[in-house]
Amino acid sequence: MPTLARPSRWDRRDGPIRLKADAMNHWLRLRHAFPAPRTDGLLRLELGLDLNLRQPKSRPVPWASCLLKITKGPLAPGAIEVNPYWATYNRSWVVARGRLPLDAKLGACWDGTPHVEVGVGSLPIIAIAAAGMLVAGKPIRVTRKEVGGWRLHLGLPRQRPAAGEPYTLEPALELDAGVQRVGRALELSLGQLSAVLRVSQ
C-alpha cells in the first residue's frame, strides 16, 4: 500500500497566508572573495564549496566565479560577471535626480535561456509594484537572491598591511521564493533557504 510523503514542518496550507515548502532545499555555501593579483582590483575572484545540508553524505559542490569591472569604453561603468549559472553584463544607474538607484543584469544562462535581473533601491516603489502584481494575479519570483549586508571585520594575525583591504566576514541568506495570490489567500513558496558565509578581502 503506497505511503504518502510527510509534509514539511514549514508547510502551512490553510489561512489567509499559505506557506508551501515541501521541496525546499538547504545548503551551506562557503565563499572566499578576493582581488586577482596584478589587476589593480578590476578583477575579483570567488572560490568556494556548496554543502547540501539535506544530504550530508553527498559530495561538496565546488564554486568559482569572477567579476571584471569595466572602466573604459562604451560599456563603462559596468562589469562582466561569470559564474556556474550564468554570464551577465551588470550596470548601475541613479535616476530621479539621484534619489532612485537601479541595478541591472543582462545575460544568459549556460543552457541558453536569457537571464535578466532588475533591482530598485526604493522600498516604497518595490512595495507598490509588488502589490500591483499580486492584485493583478501575477506571481512574484526571485531566484538565488542573497539577503544580508552584514559585515564583520576580521583581524587575522597573518594579514600583511600591503595585502589591500582587511578581511571581512559577510554572512547572508540565499533563497528561491515566490508569492502569488490564490483566491483570497497569498501563497508563499520556498524552493531554497540556504546560509552563505563569505570571507572577502
Side-chain angles (χ1 to χ4, degrees):
M1 183 175 181
T3 58
L4 297 177
R6 185 174 61 180
S8 168
R9 62 186 179 89
W10 293 80
D11 278 10
R12 297 292 184 273
R13 299 299 179 95
D14 300 321
I17 299 179
R18 305 172 184 175
L19 179 59
K20 182 181 179 182
D22 52 343
M24 182 168 56
N25 290 318
H26 304 288
W27 293 81
L28 174 60
R29 306 192 187 279
L30 305 177
R31 302 285 186 263
H32 178 208
F34 56 95
R38 301 180 182 180
T39 61
D40 295 327
L42 296 180
L43 177 62
R44 289 189 61 83
L45 305 177
E46 187 173 84
L47 303 176
L49 290 174
D50 292 344
L51 308 177
N52 191 334
L53 300 182
R54 294 195 68 175
Q55 299 178 3
K57 296 183 179 180
S58 60
R59 293 184 178 181
V61 180
W63 168 271
S65 68
C66 65
L67 183 72
L68 176 64
K69 295 181 181 179
I70 302 175
T71 59
K72 298 179 181 180
L75 297 179
I80 300 295
E81 179 183 0
V82 179
N83 62 41
Y85 299 98
W86 55 67
T88 59
Y89 168 68
N90 307 345
R91 187 157 183 171
S92 299
W93 296 269
V94 180
V95 298
R97 298 182 179 180
R99 293 176 293 182
L100 182 60
L102 298 175
D103 299 314
K105 292 185 177 184
L106 178 62
C109 300
W110 297 115
D111 62 0
T113 58
H115 181 81
V116 179
E117 294 184 29
V118 178
V120 181
S122 173
L123 289 179
I125 292 180
I126 294 175
I128 292 172
M133 292 181 65
L134 291 175
V135 170
K138 303 295 184 180
I140 302 172
R141 293 189 177 91
V142 295
T143 302
R144 300 187 61 82
K145 175 64 176 177
E146 281 197 21
V147 180
W150 309 284
R151 296 173 65 91
L152 176 64
H153 292 274
L154 303 176
L156 299 183
R158 295 186 180 181
Q159 182 181 343
R160 296 175 298 174
E165 298 181 1
Y167 290 92
T168 58
L169 177 63
E170 302 173 2
L173 293 176
E174 182 183 281
L175 56 88
D176 297 346
V179 180
Q180 62 181 351
R181 182 168 59 88
V182 180
R184 296 184 177 180
L186 287 179
E187 182 178 87
L188 171 63
S189 58
L190 290 175
Q192 176 202 181
L193 182 60
S194 302
V196 181
L197 292 179
R198 178 179 288 108
V199 174
S200 296
Q201 185 182 351

